[in-house]
Amino acid sequence: MAVVITEELKAKSEVYYGDEICREKSKFLLQEVNLPRGLLPLRDIIECGYDKETGFVWLKQEQKIEHVFTKIGRKVTYAPEITAYVEKNKIKKVVGVKTKELLLWLTVEEISVTDKAPENVTFTTSAGLFKTYKRVKYPL
């Protein structure tokens, strides 16, 4: 279920406007929670925000985009608005990100790493399916 981004939420959050600063902030946040900085290859970002108290984050971009992670052979779509909650080693309750598996588009609900295997990144769908990949360094 998507969280509505209200003026009240914005008032208690760090909010940034514009593609360049939002890309920088999203990469920094991913790095801070120990996830690969290339997970959100968004463009034309209009707004991003982060409520440190709850871990809630949002990104708004001009339009939906598709991205192919060539090193792992996965196509991913990012909706114009993406929301999630972040914590150490995890992004959860993701809304607005889907991946193609065979002929189906599945909603990505969680992205995580574990302390036991920090070189692996696991993607879990809303259907409970998951796939683990070796962490890949992408040029940013």
Side-chain angles (χ1 to χ4, degrees):
M1 184 169 136
V3 174
V4 177
I5 301 161
T6 63
E7 291 304 315
E8 182 181 333
L9 175 62
K10 287 182 181 184
K12 66 178 191 165
S13 302
E14 292 179 20
V15 183
Y16 300 93
Y17 300 93
D19 186 56
E20 188 175 338
I21 188 72
C22 288
R23 282 188 197 208
E24 181 183 311
K25 292 297 181 179
S26 65
K27 289 174 188 175
F28 178 76
L29 181 62
L30 288 168
Q31 183 177 320
E32 286 293 301
V33 298
N34 194 32
L35 291 168
R37 289 172 40 116
L39 280 178
L40 298 171
L42 307 179
R43 59 181 175 263
D44 301 325
I45 304 173
I46 301 165
E47 175 183 306
C48 64
Y50 176 42
D51 178 358
K52 284 185 179 182
E53 184 180 314
T54 64
F56 180 71
V57 296
W58 72 90
L59 296 122
K60 293 181 182 181
Q61 56 184 349
E62 288 185 16
Q63 61 188 1
K64 171 184 156 181
I65 65 163
E66 287 188 0
H67 179 81
V68 177
F69 290 95
T70 55
K71 292 185 180 182
I72 61 171
R74 288 287 169 229
K75 183 184 277 188
V76 179
T77 64
Y78 298 88
E81 185 172 296
I82 299 161
T83 62
Y85 290 87
V86 296
E87 59 187 55
K88 185 173 178 2
N89 297 330
K90 187 181 292 186
I91 300 175
K92 60 186 182 178
K93 298 182 182 178
V94 179
V95 174
V97 179
K98 293 183 179 185
T99 185
K100 193 166 190 179
E101 185 68 37
L102 298 175
L103 300 175
L104 300 173
W105 283 98
L106 301 172
T107 301
V108 174
E109 190 169 272
E110 185 174 290
I111 304 166
S112 61
V113 298
T114 65
D115 289 332
K116 290 181 181 179
E119 72 281 0
N120 293 333
V121 180
T122 301
F123 297 82
T124 306
T125 70
S126 55
L129 302 172
F130 66 90
K131 191 125 188 177
T132 301
Y133 299 95
K134 288 281 184 204
R135 187 183 290 244
V136 177
K137 297 222 185 266
Y138 287 95
L140 299 176

